[in-house]
Amino acid sequence: MKINLQNVLPEDIEKRSFEILSDELGERFFSPEQEPIIKRAIHTSADFDYADNLKFSVDAVKKAASAIRKGACIVTDTQMAKSGINKKMLEKYGGEVFCFMSDEEIAQRAKERGTTRATACMDKAAALNRPLIFAIGNAPTALVRLYELMSEGALQPELIIGVPVGFVNVVESKELIMSTDVPYIVAAGRKGGSNIAAAICNAILYMIRDEKI
Amino acid sequence: MKINLQNVLPEDIEKRSFEILSDELGERFFSPEQEPIIKRAIHTSADFDYADNLKFSVDAVKKAASAIRKGACIVTDTQMAKSGINKKMLEKYGGEVFCFMSDEEIAQRAKERGTTRATACMDKAAALNRPLIFAIGNAPTALVRLYELMSEGALQPELIIGVPVGFVNVVESKELIMSTDVPYIVAAGRKGGSNIAAAICNAILYMIRDEKI
């Protein structure tokens, strides 16, 4: 077979990808604060639904950037999301990424209480006593537990990235977060995933690096 | 806000999700070998496009299962995919998961040769001299390099999972793989991702565990 590939230098592939997807988005207007996040979600999934389904609370990105600059940490509900987040860049500002899902004590605690491991992870995170951004790409139960912890006054996240994916309680858990006054970025509907959670974190980090926020 | 959630036990969430997505797929027929893979890709993305875009070479899944049972290893092009693959289950059959993307020598080699790191990773993998399944969720250049290595007779993969995502050379690189006689599972078009690559690997592993293949 004849190889008929675009001749793009390795270092230019990402730039060219953003050009193509921006072209295809056409005349659509996004706020400068939201645009890089929406485009990175599309870049990571090739799914243009993210142009419509990403919902932002007022000044969510500004608040997140300010928290990161002050050393906020990111808590995720999957090792995949943790693995995809640019940890070096976060560390520059003093933050780190936590995922407790594989911890032995979490499995134990979840079993004892009949909850998901993600629920137990949120309890552990709430006890960290550090400024926290939650990046939830998998478990709606994590969002439900965050809602409960906030209602009890036990937790005040700097931002909740609420992009679990799936079919059971996913839509509802996202609506729950959007009903609060916590800063949020949520993928309304069923879509999302660890890749989207990581992409949103990275988009914010790159905006900070490039002084676009 | 009233929390109006379905009452599903943690251990039943995945089962219930598969029931819902199966219902929504309706009367569509998939071969028993392909069905669990298609459904797990949908489960992991909530994107029903995977019901149409996943393409399988003849007996791809059977061949992959047989290779895994004989100790085949999985090579991925992202730490995210590596992180999502059920490594414990693969180890039961003697295989392991490799991702060389963060290796210092890979960055060096790619720079010297003006290639992507993914290309350099495929060269390193080809030298492993073990039966290999490639799970490519990010870099079309990895697929292009696999194509070249196979053409040169330097590599004979047991299976290529070709699901890079994106806008530059993604569609073309997948067509290239489908033009060969290597066993493949490919997401035709632009969609895919590390999550899809991991989901396909896990679907095959679970079919083996459950003796469905």
Side-chain angles (χ1 to χ4, degrees), chain B residues 64-180:
Chain B
S66 152
I68 288 172
R69 285 197 173 101
K70 288 178 191 159
C73 294
I74 299 177
V75 177
T76 82
D77 66 330
T78 61
Q79 301 296 348
M80 275 188 83
K82 179 177 175 181
S83 158
I85 296 169
N86 193 322
K87 290 168 285 295
K88 273 191 197 161
M89 203 164 289
L90 185 65
E91 281 163 17
K92 276 191 193 168
Y93 304 102
E96 45 186 320
V97 181
F98 295 108
C99 175
F100 304 123
M101 289 296 284
S102 318
D103 293 11
E104 196 49 51
E105 58 163 301
I106 291 293
Q108 186 74 27
R109 206 189 293 182
K111 209 175 167 188
E112 279 166 21
R113 303 188 185 170
T115 69
T116 64
R117 280 184 298 145
T119 299
C121 286
M122 296 305 108
D123 289 340
K124 182 164 177 174
L128 281 176
N129 210 14
R130 291 178 71 165
L132 297 177
I133 290 172
F134 289 85
I136 306 302
N138 184 53
T141 52
L143 291 187
V144 174
R145 188 61 188 144
L146 288 178
Y147 176 84
E148 292 169 348
L149 288 165
M150 291 189 294
S151 306
E152 295 163 10
L155 184 68
Q156 238 184 322
E158 306 293 330
L159 173 73
I160 295 180
I161 299 169
V163 295
V165 59
F167 299 88
V168 176
N169 292 334
V170 165
V171 173
E172 296 81 354
S173 71
K174 290 167 174 175
E175 282 170 2
L176 213 50
I177 295 302
M178 289 192 281
S179 75
T180 70

Side-chain angles (χ1 to χ4, degrees), chain A residues 1 5-6 16-17 20 24 44-47 79-80 83-84 115 144 147 165 167-169 172 179 190 195, chain B residues 1 5-6 10 16 20 24 44-47 79-80 83-84 144 147 165 167-169 172 179 190 195:
Chain A
M1 187 180 175
L5 299 167
Q6 285 189 58
R16 183 77 194 108
S17 299
I20 295 171
E24 294 191 21
T44 213
S45 62
D47 188 341
Q79 301 296 347
M80 276 189 83
S83 158
T115 70
V144 174
Y147 176 85
V165 59
F167 299 88
V168 175
N169 292 335
E172 296 81 355
S179 76
R190 288 168 164 179
N195 52 340
Chain B
M1 185 180 176
L5 299 167
Q6 284 189 57
R16 182 78 194 108
I20 294 171
E24 294 192 21
T44 211
S45 62
D47 187 341
Q79 301 296 348
M80 275 188 83
S83 158
V144 174
Y147 176 84
V165 59
F167 299 88
V168 176
N169 292 334
E172 296 81 354
S179 75
R190 288 167 164 181
N195 52 341

